Amino acid sequence: MKNKCLREAAAAAKKKKKKHYEVFTRDLVRGVAQHVKERCMEKEIGKTRVVVVLELGARDGTFARAFVREWTDERTRLEYFACDSAPKDASVTKRDASEAIREIGKKYEGRDSDTLCIALVSWMPFQIDWTREIRKHAAFDEYILIGEGEGGICGSKQTFGREDESDDQSDGDDEKEGEEDDVPALYEREGFVMCELEKVKNLGKSDTTYEREGTHSKTISFRRRVDIQ
């Protein structure tokens, strides 16, 4: 009788708990790979070409393996680094996101102009931001976020909004709130331009079993702004 009660309690607790999962479609991975190839063409990379992709929060490496399979451009060498603070597969390196960003940023600092360096994050944890660390390093030309955009459950105010860490500690005066709309987003102030990827924006799948009004998976690119002389 006791065991039966325990089983029923466990089943009830499991039923109440919301499941979180991640689904990568072939079309999504192929679309992201195609976007990176198009970025190579835009940058007019020379004869010896290198594309560096750093995937943060790679979990079990599913996206990484699929991306590598989709990369068929023999003219361009792909260097793919997949990391996670708690990897679910031996193919993923155990590394804190900020530490991995600094390592790749330092490794490719001052690299040749024939190298394209991109960071990729799928479903960045809520109230966590890795993008500001990416923007600090000149090695990164771009970062791509897969998941919910502003107002969703991915990232923090530093990811999409106007506030930096010092703003979070302020008293939030009424005058400051009124001026907020005149302040560019933090990523813009730090030299990046946001662009939702039209060809793949609807190919992502929800990370949760429940839907919330006005939110869905997106694929968004943030490119380092290049000032034309």
Side-chain angles (χ1 to χ4, degrees), residues 143-213:
Y143 59 93
I144 299 171
L145 303 183
I146 300 173
E148 293 185 0
E150 186 172 6
I153 60 172
C154 296
S156 71
K157 293 179 180 179
Q158 282 76 48
T159 308
F160 299 101
R162 299 173 174 84
E163 298 181 8
D164 60 23
E165 293 175 356
S166 61
D167 293 329
D168 289 339
Q169 298 171 0
S170 67
D171 295 330
D173 296 334
D174 292 338
E175 292 182 8
K176 214 167 193 180
E177 291 177 7
E179 296 172 357
E180 188 179 87
D181 291 339
D182 298 328
V183 179
L186 185 59
Y187 61 82
E188 290 182 357
R189 304 203 305 267
E190 294 180 348
F192 279 74
V193 178
M194 181 178 74
C195 177
E196 192 168 336
L197 301 184
E198 293 295 325
K199 295 179 181 178
V200 297
K201 68 177 184 180
N202 294 320
L203 300 179
K205 300 298 183 182
S206 178
D207 188 56
T208 62
T209 55
Y210 59 98
E211 296 292 337
R212 285 163 293 108
E213 185 177 355

Side-chain angles (χ1 to χ4, degrees), residues 15-129:
K15 188 175 181 180
K16 288 182 180 179
K17 186 178 180 181
K18 296 183 185 297
K19 293 181 180 179
H20 291 252
Y21 60 89
E22 190 166 27
V23 178
F24 295 126
T25 66
R26 183 176 297 172
D27 288 339
L28 173 63
V29 179
R30 184 175 295 149
V32 174
Q34 182 60 35
H35 166 74
V36 176
K37 292 176 184 177
E38 290 174 1
R39 289 284 284 127
C40 290
M41 298 297 291
E42 289 175 14
K43 198 178 179 187
E44 298 182 354
I45 295 177
K47 203 168 184 179
T48 304
R49 301 188 297 175
V50 180
V51 172
V52 180
V53 178
L54 169 64
E55 183 184 350
L56 306 170
R59 302 187 186 183
D60 65 356
T62 298
F63 192 98
R65 289 189 293 274
F67 189 100
V68 172
R69 285 196 300 269
E70 289 293 335
W71 192 261
T72 57
D73 188 349
E74 297 180 354
R75 299 168 301 171
T76 308
R77 185 172 81 251
L78 173 66
E79 297 182 5
Y80 201 107
F81 302 92
C83 69
D84 197 293
S85 58
K88 306 296 184 183
D89 188 87
S91 63
V92 178
T93 302
K94 184 175 183 179
R95 189 80 82 251
D96 174 76
S98 295
E99 182 183 356
I101 294 166
R102 287 192 290 269
E103 285 183 5
I104 295 299
K106 184 176 181 180
K107 180 177 180 179
Y108 292 94
E109 183 180 5
R111 75 232 190 287
D112 294 335
S113 59
D114 66 353
T115 302
L116 181 68
C117 190
I118 296 177
L120 174 69
V121 187
S122 178
W123 291 89
M124 187 159 51
F126 185 51
Q127 299 296 7
I128 298 294
D129 177 73

